[in-house]
Amino acid sequence: MLRAFITGLPQGFARIFAPRYLVWHAVAIIVTYLCVASGFDWYYFTQTRFNNLFELTIPAAILGFFLPIIVPVVLYYFGEWRRSAKLKHIAVVVAQAEALGWLVSSIYKAFTGRIQPELLHSTGLQDISRQFNFGFLENGIFWGWPSSHTTVAFAGVAALIYFLYPKHKVLSVLLGVYALYIGLGVSVSVHWFSEFAAGAIIGTLIGIVVARHAK
C-alpha cells in the first residue's frame, strides 16, 4: 500500500495543475474574490459566531483531522480481509487524494498568508476579512486560504464517489453530507466562508482527477 501510495503522488500533483484543470483553480480564486470584495465573508462571520453553533461544529475539526487517516486504513485492511483488490485499490486512491488535498492547500496557504478570523466573537472587531499577506510563509500553513479540512474532506469524498456512484447513491449522498459538515463546520470557527468554498472546489477537483487516472 505504501509504495503504491507514494508512487502515485507526483503524477497526481502534476495532473491537478495541468492546463485543462486550471479553470477549477481560477473558479476557486474568483469565488474567493467575490466573497471578500462584496463583504460576504465578513457578513457571514458576524452572523455565525455564537456559542451554540460553535459547539455543534466542534466535532467537524476533530473528524476532519482523524477520519481522513482512519478511513483509507480501514478500507485497505477490510479489503485484505475480504481479499478484494478493488477495495485495497480504492483505499490507496482515497489516501492519495487526501494527501494531495493537504499538500495543495498547504502550498496555497504558504503563499497567500490570509489572516484567520476570531474563533467566537464578532462584536466590536475590525473587519480583517480582506487581509492577505502574500509572500512565503507570512502566516504559516495552519490557517488561511483554502481550508485544508475542507479540501481534504472533499478530495477523499470525491474520490470515493467517483468509484461508488451510481451503484451506491445513498452512500454517495451521505459522503457528500459529511464533506459539507466538515467544510461548513470549520467555516464558523477557524475559517472564512470563502476558504470553505475554495477548499470544496479544489478538493473536488483533486478527488476526481486522482480517481479518474487511477481506474
Side-chain angles (χ1 to χ4, degrees), residues 44 47-58 120 184-185 188:
Y44 182 84
Q47 299 301 309
T48 57
R49 262 52 181 192
F50 48 90
N51 287 334
N52 291 339
L53 181 60
F54 180 73
E55 291 169 1
L56 286 173
T57 57
I58 287 175
L120 288 175
L184 289 171
V188 299

Side-chain angles (χ1 to χ4, degrees), residues 21-208:
Y21 296 123
L22 290 181
V23 64
W24 287 71
H25 299 266
V27 169
I29 293 170
I30 292 169
V31 168
T32 300
Y33 174 79
L34 293 174
C35 288
V36 173
S38 67
F40 180 78
D41 265 353
W42 183 249
Y43 173 78
Y44 182 84
F45 170 82
T46 60
Q47 299 301 309
T48 57
R49 262 52 181 192
F50 48 90
N51 287 334
N52 291 339
L53 181 60
F54 180 73
E55 291 169 1
L56 286 173
T57 57
I58 287 175
I62 300 172
L63 291 173
F65 178 82
F66 287 105
L67 281 185
I69 300 171
I70 295 170
V71 169
V73 174
V74 171
L75 271 176
Y76 184 84
Y77 283 104
F78 186 64
E80 283 275 12
W81 179 63
R82 293 288 301 271
R83 297 183 181 178
S84 170
K86 181 178 180 180
L87 275 178
K88 292 191 289 184
H89 179 57
I90 292 175
V92 171
V93 172
V94 170
Q96 287 174 342
E98 293 172 341
L100 287 168
W102 178 84
L103 178 61
V104 171
S105 62
S106 296
I107 290 173
Y108 271 126
K109 286 180 180 182
F111 286 98
T112 56
R114 192 178 191 186
I115 300 299
Q116 67 274 11
E118 294 288 336
L119 284 177
L120 288 175
H121 305 294
S122 61
T123 56
L125 296 179
Q126 182 181 2
D127 182 355
I128 57 171
S129 63
R130 293 175 170 83
Q131 292 187 20
F132 289 79
N133 295 313
F134 294 105
F136 184 67
L137 291 179
E138 294 294 329
N139 196 40
I141 61 171
F142 180 76
W143 311 97
W145 183 94
S147 160
S148 292
H149 277 77
T150 307
T151 307
V152 171
F154 273 80
V157 165
L160 272 171
I161 290 177
Y162 192 87
F163 276 103
L164 296 173
Y165 189 83
K167 292 184 179 180
H168 301 279
K169 292 183 180 180
V170 173
L171 182 56
S172 296
V173 170
L174 292 175
L175 288 169
V177 170
Y178 154 76
L180 282 172
Y181 172 69
I182 298 299
L184 289 171
V186 297
S187 79
V188 299
S189 54
V190 296
H191 282 290
W192 303 102
F193 179 86
S194 60
E195 293 168 358
F196 148 67
I201 294 167
I202 296 171
T204 300
L205 165 67
I206 292 170
I208 291 173

